[in-house]
Amino acid sequence: MSAAHPRDEWLRAVSAWWGRWFGRCAVRVRDGVASEPVPEAPAGVPTRGVEGTLLPGLRDAHVHCGLVDLRTVRAGGISTADDLGSPADVLSRLRDDPAAPRLRFAGAFLTAPGGYPSDRAWALPGSFREVGSAADARVAVREQRRIGASFIKIALHSGAGPLLPESVVDTIVTTAHDAGLPVVAHAEGEGTFGMAMRHGVDRLAHTPWTEQLPDRVLAEAAESMVWISTLDIHGHGADTEARRTAIANLRTFAGYGGTVRYGTDLGNGPLPLGVNTREVAALLAAGLSPDEVLASMTDREAPPCWVAGGLDLDPGRFPGSLSTARVLG
């Protein structure tokens, strides 16, 4: 569809959430992206009624699309996804699949030679890129940008092989920022969170879970970082120490005004392929309200979603209600 001839459709809904709640309203969908709700569609234009609650597209901010069936993910209510480590050939094959979520991606993990995740069985060939020097770091960032990366991911995992030197981390972040690309870090183990903070990493791929961080550190992080939740990877519904630590860190981070993004790390163990009710419930347990959970999940540049029976805001029923969301179109 050319930009000169966009496809328009008007939808009528009983209710909608677009950063705030609307009653009966209409939205225009142009080339798959919905506009802000208005009281009614213009006179004389065809409209389609949608039962239930309209939402902007739902986004999972942490997936590994080479390890999951993305078509099933979209069928489960996710209309856009951020891939945080997959081979270029897999990304090329999936990025234009209309039956899959719309993709943004980091390309390959940038890691030290022999560093995480190079020794992991799940790490597909091409899903990581070993970086040996500052000069090599500049090349590696340009490689990811060339294949269309929207952000750069670095692996900082102490105790799991060699760690990128501070000077190389600094070069990666500086080069990415000079190219207009934010940097996402997998920060796990002693000293890695501090390294990410020192070098201006923009986003954490996971809420920190290996230690309870001091309030003053969380307050500082809230001013400069986005955290992707991934709370359910710690036990997949079981009450584990790692899950409790992550929820406590996220509660304080969000309390200081930190920006939270819903993300599940799809491909990492038995996670639902679609909206994860356990992840949503964990976000509520971390003190987020249903409106704040929706803000963490929605992407206004993605195909809209709807909850056919209407979204139930009761905290006990909200996760299950939201899991019935489906992508329009």
Side-chain angles (χ1 to χ4, degrees), residues 62 64 84-86 106-112 116-117 122-123 126-131 144 152-156 186 205-206 265:
H62 189 154
H64 296 281
L84 296 188
S86 289
F109 286 76
L110 303 189
T111 190
Y116 176 86
W122 53 260
S127 65
F128 60 91
R129 192 332 187 150
E130 296 176 324
V131 178
Q144 309 320 305
I152 299 297
K153 183 173 182 183
I154 57 176
L156 302 175
H186 171 110
H206 306 278
D265 197 8

Side-chain angles (χ1 to χ4, degrees), residues 78-91:
I78 298 297
S79 63
T80 183
D82 291 350
D83 186 276
L84 296 188
S86 289
D89 60 335
V90 171
L91 295 166

Side-chain angles (χ1 to χ4, degrees), residues 104-227:
R104 301 186 309 169
F105 58 86
F109 286 76
L110 303 189
T111 190
Y116 176 86
S118 64
D119 62 342
R120 305 302 165 105
W122 53 260
L124 300 174
S127 65
F128 60 91
R129 192 332 187 150
E130 296 176 324
V131 178
S133 66
D136 194 27
R138 288 186 281 271
V139 173
V141 171
R142 288 196 293 268
E143 289 171 353
Q144 309 320 305
R145 186 186 184 199
R146 193 175 303 123
I147 65 170
S150 295
F151 23 76
I152 299 297
K153 183 173 182 183
I154 57 176
L156 302 175
H157 191 339
S158 61
L163 196 62
L164 287 166
E166 299 256 358
S167 60
V168 173
V169 173
D170 188 68
T171 299
I172 291 171
V173 174
T174 299
T175 305
H177 286 173
D178 286 348
L181 300 176
V183 178
V184 184
H186 171 110
E188 179 177 358
E190 185 177 354
T192 58
F193 177 82
M195 183 182 293
M197 285 285 292
R198 282 193 300 279
H199 294 288
V201 164
D202 305 282
R203 184 173 297 201
L204 291 188
H206 306 278
T207 298
W209 74 95
T210 56
E211 60 179 323
Q212 180 64 57
L213 296 169
D215 276 22
R216 60 175 179 77
V217 172
L218 291 166
E220 182 181 353
E223 295 180 356
S224 60
M225 276 185 165
V226 173
W227 284 10

Side-chain angles (χ1 to χ4, degrees), residues 235-246:
H236 305 110
D239 181 20
T240 65
E241 182 179 356
R243 183 180 185 275
R244 290 193 297 271
T245 301

Side-chain angles (χ1 to χ4, degrees), residues 1 29 65 100 106 142 159 169 182 185 201 214 238 247 253 258 260 270 274 302 309 324:
M1 185 68 62
V29 181
C65 65
R142 288 196 293 268
V169 173
V201 164
I247 286 175
F253 173 79
V260 179
T324 67

